[in-house]
Amino acid sequence: MDLLRFITAGSVDDGKSTLIGRLLYDSKNILIDQLEALEKSTKNRTDGSVDLALLTDGLRAEREQGITIDVAYRYFTTPKRKFIIADAPGHVQYTRNMITGASNASLIIVLVDARQGVVEQTRRHSIIASLLKIPHVVVAINKMDLVEYSQDVFNNIVIDYAEVAKQLGLKNVTYIPISALNGDNIVDRSEIIDWYDGKPLLEFLEEVDTAHDIDLDNARFQVQFVIRPQTEELHDYRGYAGKIISGIYKRGDKVKVLPAGLETTISKLEVGGQEVEEVFAPQAAVIQLADDIDISRGDAIVKTEDTPVVSNELEVLLCWLDDKPLQAGNKYYLQHNSRLVRAVVKSIEYKLDVNTLQQQPVEGGVKLNEVVKATIRTASPLVYDPYDQFVVNGSAILVDETSNSTVAAVLLQ
Amino acid sequence: MSKYHLDYLEQLEAESIHIFREVAAQFERPALLFSGGKDSITMVHLAKKAFAPGKIPFPLVHIDTGHNFPEALEFRDWLAKEVNATLVVRKVEDTIQQKNLTEPRGKFPSRNWLQTYTLLDTIEEFKFDACIGGARRDEEKARAKERIFSVRDEFGQWNPKLQRPELWNIYNGRIHKGENVRVFPISNWTELDIWNYIRKENIDLPSIYFAHERQVIEHEGQLVAISEFVQPDASDVVLTKQVRYRTVGDMTCTAAVESTAANLDEVINEIIATRISERGETRIDDKVTEAAMEDRKKNGYF
Ligand SMILES: Nc1nc2c(ncn2[C@@H]2O[C@H](COP(=O)(O)OP(=O)(O)O)[C@@H](O)[C@H]2O)c(=O)[nH]1
């Protein structure tokens, strides 16, 4: 059994909460006591049904406002897969939350209201999906019951969306006509939508091939923590603990430590205290090297024949996540996996309109939810790959030096 | 399937180990909050794997309410020795005396709320800057939005509006003096994931997780064990039942479930078959209000 992380995106009232509630409910992942609480809090609904949307409703502040304002995570399991849903809000201002939720997702469900078709929000969410390189896209065309389950309505939306997908270079797009409210094509194939011969949503989620989402060709590793027991028996032990970001490492591999550039070989590999012959992404491993080299947290260990970019002049796309605007010249910490360096945003070239993808001039500072192209200089070099080629080694964050908050998502170019 | 493939438990394990290592590297004085239950026991197992062959680079901290199951305390002491970890125990009892707090009354006197004080004092005493907790996002609606690194102010308070966005697998643990971070390495695990992992890794658990005989009374449909802390009223019928526990909390507020499951396979089968979630079934004081958890979290409860 494996694991699939996905995110749901849609405008307010497209039926996102109902859909998630339906997935949990129909796949029998709601438990009796939760159901009782649900029935209790379901406001006197005339038809006596439970309000599935309430299942996914989070904190009280939001309940009072009646909208979801933050990313929440939901879990469900079928015999085939464990699923982690990042439930990101549809509200216009909250691009920030969607980026947060999308950063770990390998699939996105873009909800479209069948009556509305492709709207500005649909484009915005799809643009974010394409910026963040989410590998799989499902366009769930919801509320089919309100358009008499019309195949024409569905087909027209598919045509419209295909245009968006083409513009954005989205591959792997799947279209499913659903009714979250009635459960059509969610877990079971809809009997009414007989003209649709694809899989129902859950079956698709269970079967979508994610094996290739992890890169096993290019080996990347960054030191998180140096293990030095310094006990009698392990007097000289020095292990570099970290996550295999991508690829495979074998004992005897010739490696290079970056940014210093020193070469050595792998003498021993361990996972969870057990010695192994090879390690692969995304395992948490410990690497030991043949030579005594000065290595610390944040250093990269890569194969000599396949090295990433090493630079302290960075071209980046920044998604601004903070209320305090960004001005060129501002200094931050930049964190790339476990490597933390001082950084200055040297210049801001243009703003990317997340509705049209058009480049616009930046006037004044960069505001919350804006995406800009910028150049950053770091105090010491970063060892990375362009995000487009290599998501896991091309992403970073900016941290405000005074507030310590995470203020930007950084996509290295 | 390729041999370079991790199943879901291996993926969850790798993610948790990554988080443990981030904590050890980013903070000067981390601590693992050890409650004695299966979630904290699983965390200790993960921490051991994260730093092997070295020892776990932070202490296990137990806030002892004084109402614990003796089996759980015995197990705690055994485990700390077994993994060669430092164990710090601080007692709610002492806080009650020092601060002259009012001891909760009633038939099921829960000290859950009071733990907060002892915890905050302990953080202060040791200047802990990161406290690792075993909360999972599937436990409760209010938990679903909790970050993996969750920043608290000097009063241990959590502010839903001030949570940092958490992107990719990059954890920002920078804090100001006086602040600390609660870290939840098993956020993405469900109750069943934990059980399956315990089985896969053959992790030892306290005996009360398995069916045993106990004298109990029935309270609002739940079974509560008779103990030093819970005495039957005249109207109670004392029954002898085969029971086990799904969580290990205080004897005053943790309910038992009737069960004959004597080993892990049987426990897991029962859990799959039941349709009642962990908290609903076993925490008496959680039934208070739906928002109780959220209020408590704001007050620094882990
Ligand atoms: N008729 C119909 N109504 C739906 C469907 N899905 C959701 N709704 C309704 O649309 C409204 C908004 O749904 P909700 O799930 O709260 O939307 P969210 O804002 O995207 O989370 C609610 O009244 C739902 O009952 C559907 O498939 N058909």
Side-chain angles (χ1 to χ4, degrees), chain A residues 15 18-19 21-23 25-26 45 47 49-50 52 142-149 177-193:
Chain A
T18 309
L19 173 66
R22 174 61 69 189
L23 279 170
Y25 191 82
D26 284 4
R45 289 162 76 88
D47 58 357
S49 62
V50 295
L52 290 173
N142 189 31
K143 307 198 183 182
M144 288 300 294
D145 55 306
L146 297 181
V147 295
E148 287 152 5
Y149 297 100
I178 64 169
S179 166
L181 191 66
N182 300 339
D184 288 289
N185 280 339
I186 306 295
V187 170
D188 298 312
R189 177 175 298 281
S190 165
E191 283 173 18
I192 313 175
I193 311 176

Side-chain angles (χ1 to χ4, degrees), chain A residues 22-213:
Chain A
R22 174 61 69 189
L23 279 170
L24 301 178
Y25 191 82
D26 284 4
S27 63
K28 308 211 168 30
N29 278 270
I30 319 183
L31 303 148
I32 290 177
D33 57 335
Q34 292 173 332
L35 195 59
E36 274 169 8
L38 184 69
E39 277 160 0
K40 221 184 287 166
S41 50
T42 296
K43 310 151 224 140
N44 306 323
R45 289 162 76 88
T46 43
D47 58 357
S49 62
V50 295
D51 186 352
L52 290 173
L54 281 178
L55 261 182
T56 59
D57 172 36
L59 299 179
R60 204 188 326 173
E62 298 169 346
R63 204 141 56 219
E64 279 155 13
Q65 289 177 25
I67 54 161
T68 338
I69 54 169
D70 205 332
V71 189
Y73 294 88
R74 323 279 169 202
Y75 302 83
F76 73 103
T77 307
T78 70
K80 292 198 177 134
R81 263 193 179 145
K82 172 185 166 93
F83 296 95
I84 302 180
I85 314 175
D87 178 7
H91 209 267
V92 194
Q93 290 98 298
Y94 296 99
T95 303
R96 156 189 151 130
N97 296 323
M98 184 178 159
I99 289 175
T100 305
S103 70
N104 280 315
S106 41
L107 181 146
I108 180 169
I109 298 180
V110 179
L111 266 179
V112 174
D113 183 330
R115 297 168 303 175
Q116 320 263 339
V118 174
V119 295
E120 190 175 305
Q121 292 260 30
T122 320
R123 296 181 59 87
R124 179 201 306 267
H125 295 148
S126 304
I127 286 173
I128 294 170
S130 81
L131 282 177
L132 292 184
K133 296 273 169 252
I134 302 178
H136 309 273
V137 180
V138 174
V139 181
I141 296 156
N142 189 31
K143 307 198 183 182
M144 288 300 294
D145 55 306
L146 297 181
V147 295
E148 287 152 5
Y149 297 100
S150 155
Q151 185 172 10
D152 286 343
V153 171
F154 175 79
N155 284 344
N156 287 332
I157 294 173
V158 172
I159 291 168
D160 287 352
Y161 193 88
E163 192 57 41
V164 175
K166 198 172 120 200
Q167 261 179 22
L168 299 178
L170 291 173
K171 291 172 214 102
N172 299 325
V173 183
T174 303
Y175 302 89
I176 307 181
I178 64 169
S179 166
L181 191 66
N182 300 339
D184 288 289
N185 280 339
I186 306 295
V187 170
D188 298 312
R189 177 175 298 281
S190 165
E191 283 173 18
I192 313 175
I193 311 176
D194 52 4
W195 43 262
Y196 169 77
D197 51 17
K199 291 172 189 165
L201 180 62
L202 184 64
E203 194 179 322
F204 181 82
L205 295 175
E206 285 181 321
E207 290 171 9
V208 58
D209 179 14
T210 54
H212 304 289
D213 296 348

Side-chain angles (χ1 to χ4, degrees), chain B residues 40-51:
Chain B
S40 0
I41 294 166
T42 301
M43 288 208 301
V44 171
H45 182 85
L46 289 163
K48 195 176 96 187
K49 283 187 132 180
F51 302 104

